[in-house]
Amino acid sequence: MRWKLLVMVLLGFGLGLSLWLQNLSISGRSINPWNIPQRWHWRDSGGSTPRGTGTGGGTDGTSTLSNATSVTKSPEANHLEKCPDDPPELVGPLRIVFDEEQSMEQLVELNTYVEFGGHYKPPDCIPLQRIAIIIPFRNREHHLRHWLYYLHPILRRQQGEYGIYVIEQAGENTFNRAKLLNVGFVEASKENNYDCFIFSDVDIVPENDRNLYRCSQNPRHLACAMDKFGYKLPYTGYFGGVVAFTKEQYLKINGFSNNYWGWGTEDDDTYKRVTLSGMSVDRPDRNVGRTKMIRHQRDKGNEVNEKNYVVYNRMKYTRNQDGYISLKYSLIKIEKNQLFTKITVDIGKPPS
C-alpha cells in the first residue's frame, strides 16, 4: 500500500508542476524559474555554420562553434566600450619600401573599410580621439599613393576615428607649407569636431605602428627618429615632419606662422611657439618613433629662402599676431575621393 500511495503523490506533483509551467508560458513570462541570466541563445541550424559568421571566430575567420550550431549574443554583449589605450592589433616594426607603387584604384580595393572622403571609425569600440590628418601638398601624387598605402592600415589598427585632408596650394607661386597647415585646421574643423590634429608631410611614413597618431598632454613630435638623420634628432629643437596638437594646444600657440615662403625655418618657429607658450614637446621612444622619408629632389617653388631667417628672428614679437588669427586664403574647390579629401586653395604669394 505504501508504494501505491507514493506513486499517487508523485503523479500529483508532476501534474501540478506541468500546469504551473503552462500558466507561465501563456502569461508571456520567461520560463526560467531559477532566474539564471541567459547570455547566449543556442539553436540548431540544421547544417553547417557559414565561414566567418560565428561569434567566436578563430584567427582564420572561421567559427569556433560546432558546425551544427549558431549563436546569437544578448543585447548586453553588443554594448560598445571605449577602445583600449594599447590597441590589440598593433604589430610593431614594419618593413617600409617604396620600390612599387599602387594605383589609386588598387588602393581603394585594399582599403574597403575607409568611408568616402578618407574617413574611418572603428566598428567594435568607441574611439578615444577624433583625429584630423592634415597634409600640405602640391605635385606629389606619387608620394601620396605611397603614403596612403601604408598609413590607412596603420591608422585602422590604431583604432582612432580619423579623416585625411590633403591641402593643395594652387598656382605656381612659392610654396608655403605652414600656411597650408593652418588652412587644413580651419577646413577640417568645419567638417567634424576633431579633438586632435596631426600635421604630416606627404613623404614621411612611420616604421612602427606603435608610434600612435594621437595627441597627448603636450604637443607631440612623431617623426623624431628619421632615417634621413640617422634615426636621431639632428638638434634638440627639431620639430619637423609629423607633429600632433590638440585643438586647445594649436589655438594656444596661435597655429603656425603664415610668413614662411619657400623651404626652411617654419619648424623651428613652431617649436619656439610651443616653448614660449609654456608647453614642452613629447616624443616617443627613438625605436618607436622611427620614420622613413621618400627621397626626392626639392620641388620647384620650394627653394631655400634666406628671408625666412629674418622672419624667425622677429617671431618672439610677432607670433601673437601672425598665425591662425591672421590667416587669409581663398577656397577654390573641395574634392571628395574615396581615401582622402582634397582641398585646393589660393594662399597668395610672398611679399616682393
Side-chain angles (χ1 to χ4, degrees), residues 40 42 49 53-58 62-72:
W40 302 99
W42 298 83
T49 303
T53 59
T55 59
T62 58
S63 173
T64 59
L65 301 174
S66 166
N67 282 340
T69 309
S70 65
V71 64
T72 303

Side-chain angles (χ1 to χ4, degrees), residues 122-145:
D124 51 0
C125 61
I126 301 172
L128 301 179
Q129 294 181 358
R130 296 181 299 274
I131 305 159
I133 302 175
I134 312 298
I135 301 175
F137 186 83
R138 187 167 68 180
N139 300 327
R140 293 285 197 92
E141 283 76 14
H142 296 292
H143 294 172
L144 179 60
R145 285 194 284 271

Side-chain angles (χ1 to χ4, degrees), residues 212-227:
L212 298 178
Y213 274 45
R214 291 182 189 168
C215 291
S216 63
Q217 293 183 345
N218 292 303
R220 299 187 66 215
H221 184 203
L222 302 177
C224 61
M226 199 182 303
D227 65 333

Side-chain angles (χ1 to χ4, degrees), residues 95-98 100-103 106-107 110-111 113 143-154 205 339:
R95 180 175 180 266
I96 306 297
V97 294
F98 305 117
E100 183 178 351
E101 183 179 327
Q102 307 289 328
S103 69
Q106 290 173 314
L107 292 173
L110 290 170
N111 298 282
Y113 49 85
H143 294 172
L144 179 60
R145 285 194 284 271
H146 284 303
W147 191 94
L148 293 168
Y149 174 76
Y150 284 111
L151 264 295
H152 268 304
I154 290 173
V205 174
L339 300 182

